[in-house]
Amino acid sequence: MRALSCYRFSPVKACVVVFPGSNADAEMIHTLRDVCGAPTEVVWHTETALPAGVDLVALPGGFSYGDYLRCGAIAKVSPIVPAIRAHAARGGWVLGVCNGFQILTEVGLLPGALTLNVNRRFECGDWFVKVTAEGPFTPRVGDVWRLPIAHGEGRYQADEATLRRLEGEGLIGLRYCTSAGAIDEAANPNGSLHAIAGIYGGSRKNVFGLMPHPERMSEEILGCADGRKLFEAVLSRAA
Amino acid sequence: MKATVLVRLKGEVLDVQGDAVRRALGKLGFDGVTDVRVGKIVEIEIDEVHARAPDLKERLQKMADEMLANPVIEDYEVRL
């Protein structure tokens, strides 16, 4: 029997914000709604309000606005963005995956920027990440998850002061690692500084952005369900 | 009138695109190229009324700060 059934009647409300060019929205909606059982609404970027009572706002992967100018740069002026900012300011959960992470950095809800992979290649495949800071999306430090990535611009960069703050305040939720959990440059697919795969922001770590796709690895039928741990963690805390 | 905004990666940010261009130039036989940085040029047409406004340069800088450049990784230069 699948463990996911305990969330079948989750009281947590989620929504997925879709931009022109989003392409990982279907699996995000499926994972939240069908796998985790959270009532999930879909919000088009031209709307100006989030669904009433929503707890978790998810920004999916893709190539919003064709990555014109910079990844996420045009999406940040979408009509829905002020409502997402207000939700985050109230302490509401915000999750950005891949292009969603890039959008959150452009909007300023997360520090730093995602730039071209150091090897100049679009990287597509399964990699390992390790939980290096406890938080609502990453409950247990030391856990190693196998997650797929699919991006050309996922190299996390920030200035030294920001990196020191992220380290000091325990905001680096996920780092690329080997299957055994060792932080090693060979296990870093894009050259991210400090091997950063995902970071926290917000007043109570309520904003999380990551480049890997947990929504694409949340069911055993997909070969691995490690990604579901992220969703189960936040869905069990929200509401 | 036309304003030009030059957007460049900051010096300390590794420019992997520029590095690829440098290697390609070498393959074409152009020796002596030690570094290549790739940036963007944004050309902006401004109507006459706004071109005469005293705050034109500040408005262009604001455009660059808020949209044309990402101050985390890029510098910019406004040319009128």
Side-chain angles (χ1 to χ4, degrees), chain B residues 5-13 15 37-41 68-79:
Chain B
V5 180
L6 298 173
V7 181
R8 298 185 176 94
L9 277 180
K10 286 184 176 180
E12 65 269 26
V13 175
D15 183 359
R37 309 282 293 175
V38 176
K40 289 176 199 146
I41 293 180
L68 306 178
N70 179 346
V72 175
I73 47 168
E74 294 168 325
D75 290 324
Y76 64 85
E77 189 183 321
V78 174
R79 290 184 181 170

Side-chain angles (χ1 to χ4, degrees), chain A residues 103-208:
Chain A
I103 293 170
L104 290 176
T105 63
E106 282 285 340
V107 168
L109 285 174
L110 291 173
L114 285 314
T115 61
L116 274 173
N117 295 347
V118 72
N119 60 12
R120 299 180 289 271
R121 282 198 301 267
F122 186 95
E123 285 292 342
C124 191
D126 292 355
W127 291 73
F128 291 93
V129 293
K130 183 180 193 173
V131 175
T132 51
E134 188 273 340
F137 295 85
T138 54
R140 220 169 59 195
V141 171
D143 272 6
V144 174
W145 299 341
R146 178 155 72 94
L147 295 178
I149 65 165
H151 61 250
E153 300 186 41
R155 181 175 190 244
Y156 185 81
Q157 297 207 36
D159 59 30
E160 267 309 312
T162 303
L163 290 168
R164 268 199 304 277
R165 185 175 69 79
L166 291 173
E167 293 271 8
E169 297 179 11
L171 298 176
I172 305 177
L174 294 174
R175 281 186 162 91
Y176 298 106
C177 66
T178 65
S179 59
I183 311 293
D184 181 337
E185 261 320 291
N188 180 345
N190 53 32
S192 280
L193 300 185
H194 296 219
I196 287 172
I199 55 165
Y200 280 104
S203 58
R204 54 178 194 134
K205 290 188 169 182
N206 51 304
V207 181
F208 190 60

